[in-house]
Amino acid sequence: MSSKLALEWLPLDAVRPYTMNSRRNDQTVPVVVDSIRAYGFQQPIVIDRDNVIVAGHSRWRAARELKMEQVPVVRFEGTEQEAREYRILDNRSQEDSRWDPDLLKQELAELDNLPTGFSQEEIGNILKDMAISDTKKIEPTSFELVVDCESEDQQKELHQYVTKELGKVCRVLTI
Amino acid sequence: MKIEWLSIDRVRPYPHNPRKNIETIDKVKTSIQRYGFNQPIVVDPQMFIVVGHTRYAAAKELGLAEVPVVIADLDEKRARAYRIMDNKAHDFTRWDVVDLKKEIEKLPDVEATGFSLKQLDDILFPELALIGKNNQHRRQHHIIVECASREDMNAVETLIRGKGFKRCRQSWH
């Protein structure tokens, strides 16, 4: 907890990917490239004392594609073993976060054509036939239950149950 | 880019953040306690969080007085778009289970990685493996049920929860 988190700029080539990184980011890198182009490089890469990446492999690869000469870095102060743990924990901890479909819809609806990583088709699906909330209305007229499913199979199973057994109208949304 | 240590009270969660992180806070708390605060919170010029809502919530729960902050020069709409894009980018990343297993086996304290013993069993004994089955990027699957009234919605929720679907949210407008 004593880390001062001082920012440094290092030549891109001085920063090295961790050879045993267990995250695969081939599909992530193009999104991060677009993100850096549109919104700048806002998150320093975390490196250990040997300049090996602890967090930020996708940013590093994106920076290389963008031919950035230098990248902002901060130092991880722990031991090599702690760096290994943190490398996994940092990715693991992000896995339990989820989209709120209502808020995502509201945000996407107002962002014009700014890049968000969602394709036009995905945005269309998210915005499609979802009622636009009218804040002036006092009495709500539309009631919806949003259910999260663990998999596509579960989603199909629930769709079947809701339409066949409950006789309800429902929509399928995959984000 | 500049990293500043600012009073946590100056940093403001974005009220319409579309990414929900309740279930990630404990892991991030553990991470901060064990390894320190390694990734600054990114805010817009109004001090609304763009990246780092979970770190902020974890820091609050830990009672930290100051947090490292990067103020990004983004106008409101661009901050909103970047907030989504940063999370969306993470959704494209996946584990290489073989490499993950090699890493985890080298660690004396495997649970420090955020994986539960059950999940680690699945990785260390691949015949049981559930993680990494699909090579697609992570997707969320939802069913949205149209209901006639609030009462109807409550009744439908009870039935669906009874079927084992524990994550239900009511929405009305």
Side-chain angles (χ1 to χ4, degrees), chain B residues 3-158:
Chain B
I3 299 175
E4 300 170 74
W5 284 81
L6 299 178
S7 160
I8 194 165
D9 297 331
R10 290 189 54 196
V11 175
R12 298 196 280 173
Y14 180 61
H16 304 290
N17 181 28
R19 194 71 163 183
K20 293 298 152 218
N21 55 18
I22 296 279
E23 292 173 46
T24 62
I25 294 171
D26 282 347
K27 287 196 179 75
V28 175
K29 266 165 76 176
T30 309
S31 169
I32 293 171
Q33 280 173 317
R34 280 185 183 234
Y35 312 109
F37 213 115
N38 291 298
Q39 301 186 59
I41 295 171
V42 182
V43 299
D44 69 11
Q46 278 70 50
M47 302 302 287
F48 281 118
I49 298 171
V50 183
V51 180
H53 278 93
T54 315
R55 271 164 267 169
Y56 168 84
K60 269 269 185 205
E61 289 192 17
L62 290 170
L64 301 189
E66 290 190 330
V67 285
V69 173
V70 168
I71 302 177
D73 183 21
L74 294 170
D75 63 31
E76 190 222 341
K77 280 212 172 161
R78 292 155 67 80
R80 289 166 73 182
Y82 179 50
R83 189 177 285 118
I84 293 173
M85 196 163 195
D86 178 68
N87 284 301
K88 180 65 176 167
H90 288 300
D91 283 351
F92 286 101
T93 312
R94 62 183 182 82
W95 295 106
D96 181 313
V97 184
V98 176
D99 281 354
L100 178 62
K101 183 180 168 184
K102 284 186 201 154
E103 274 299 275
I104 284 178
E105 280 173 335
K106 277 186 260 175
L107 296 170
D109 177 11
V110 282
E111 291 209 50
T113 59
F115 281 95
S116 70
L117 277 179
K118 165 77 179 74
Q119 291 164 325
L120 289 169
D121 281 348
D122 289 343
I123 295 168
L124 298 174
F125 302 96
E127 64 274 20
L128 305 170
L130 297 168
I131 302 172
K133 243 187 185 172
N134 72 48
N135 286 351
Q136 297 294 310
H137 79 272
R138 204 157 63 97
R139 294 253 180 222
Q140 268 175 238
H141 302 282
H142 302 277
I143 290 288
I144 300 164
V145 188
E146 294 178 15
C147 305
S149 63
R150 202 179 295 267
E151 293 72 28
D152 183 39
M153 183 164 61
N154 288 336
V156 170
E157 180 171 357
T158 306

Side-chain angles (χ1 to χ4, degrees), chain A residues 101-102 105-106 109 126-134 137 141-144 171, chain B residues 144 146 171-173:
Chain A
D102 289 333
K105 173 196 67 178
Q106 285 173 26
I126 292 164
L127 299 182
K128 191 175 63 185
D129 79 0
M130 291 184 120
I132 291 164
S133 62
D134 182 346
K137 243 179 245 162
T141 54
S142 155
F143 300 90
E144 292 176 341
R171 296 192 305 277
Chain B
I144 300 164
E146 294 178 15
S171 162
W172 59 84
H173 31 252

Side-chain angles (χ1 to χ4, degrees), chain A residues 1 3-5 7 9 18 20-25 27-28 31-32 34-35 38-39 41-44 46 55 59 72 74-76 81-82 84-86 88-108 110-112 114-118 122 130-131 133 140-152 154-155 157-159 161-162 166 168-175, chain B residues 1-3 5 14-21 23-24 27-28 31-40 42 51 55 64 68 70 72-74 77-78 80-96 99-100 102-104 106-109 112-115 119 135-150 152-153 156-157 159-160 163 165 167-173:
Chain A
M1 295 283 292
S3 164
K4 289 209 290 285
L5 210 63
L7 186 74
W9 286 82
Y18 179 58
M20 288 299 297
N21 184 31
S22 51
R23 288 296 268 184
R24 291 295 164 265
N25 53 17
Q27 295 183 63
T28 321
V31 182
V32 178
D34 288 348
S35 161
Y39 311 116
F41 203 107
Q42 306 293 356
Q43 301 177 61
V46 184
R59 273 165 272 166
V74 291
R75 295 274 169 188
F76 182 84
Q81 181 198 313
E82 286 170 333
R84 284 190 166 150
E85 293 168 357
Y86 180 75
I88 297 174
L89 178 59
D90 179 54
N91 286 299
R92 175 71 190 100
S93 63
Q94 287 157 7
E95 290 191 315
D96 292 326
S97 71
R98 303 180 63 79
W99 296 109
D100 178 312
D102 289 333
L103 288 172
L104 181 62
K105 173 196 67 178
Q106 285 173 26
E107 290 293 292
L108 287 173
E110 292 176 16
L111 291 178
D112 313 325
L114 287 171
T116 57
F118 283 96
E122 286 176 309
M130 291 184 120
S133 62
T141 54
S142 155
F143 300 90
E144 292 176 341
L145 192 66
V146 183
V147 189
D148 299 0
C149 308
E150 293 298 326
S151 63
E152 204 176 336
Q154 256 200 16
Q155 189 183 34
E157 178 198 325
L158 183 62
H159 182 264
Y161 172 71
V162 168
L166 300 184
K168 292 273 174 203
V169 175
C170 69
R171 296 192 305 277
V172 176
L173 175 67
T174 300
I175 304 175
Chain B
M1 185 188 292
K2 202 169 118 191
I3 299 175
W5 284 81
Y14 180 61
H16 304 290
N17 181 28
R19 194 71 163 183
K20 293 298 152 218
N21 55 18
E23 292 173 46
T24 62
K27 287 196 179 75
V28 175
S31 169
I32 293 171
Q33 280 173 317
R34 280 185 183 234
Y35 312 109
F37 213 115
N38 291 298
Q39 301 186 59
V42 182
V51 180
R55 271 164 267 169
L64 301 189
V70 168
D73 183 21
L74 294 170
K77 280 212 172 161
R78 292 155 67 80
R80 289 166 73 182
Y82 179 50
R83 189 177 285 118
I84 293 173
M85 196 163 195
D86 178 68
N87 284 301
K88 180 65 176 167
H90 288 300
D91 283 351
F92 286 101
T93 312
R94 62 183 182 82
W95 295 106
D96 181 313
D99 281 354
L100 178 62
K102 284 186 201 154
E103 274 299 275
I104 284 178
K106 277 186 260 175
L107 296 170
D109 177 11
T113 59
F115 281 95
Q119 291 164 325
N135 286 351
Q136 297 294 310
H137 79 272
R138 204 157 63 97
R139 294 253 180 222
Q140 268 175 238
H141 302 282
H142 302 277
I143 290 288
I144 300 164
V145 188
E146 294 178 15
C147 305
S149 63
R150 202 179 295 267
D152 183 39
M153 183 164 61
V156 170
E157 180 171 357
L159 286 169
I160 286 178
K163 282 268 162 189
F165 293 87
R167 293 174 191 254
C168 300
R169 282 184 311 287
Q170 298 192 349
S171 162
W172 59 84
H173 31 252

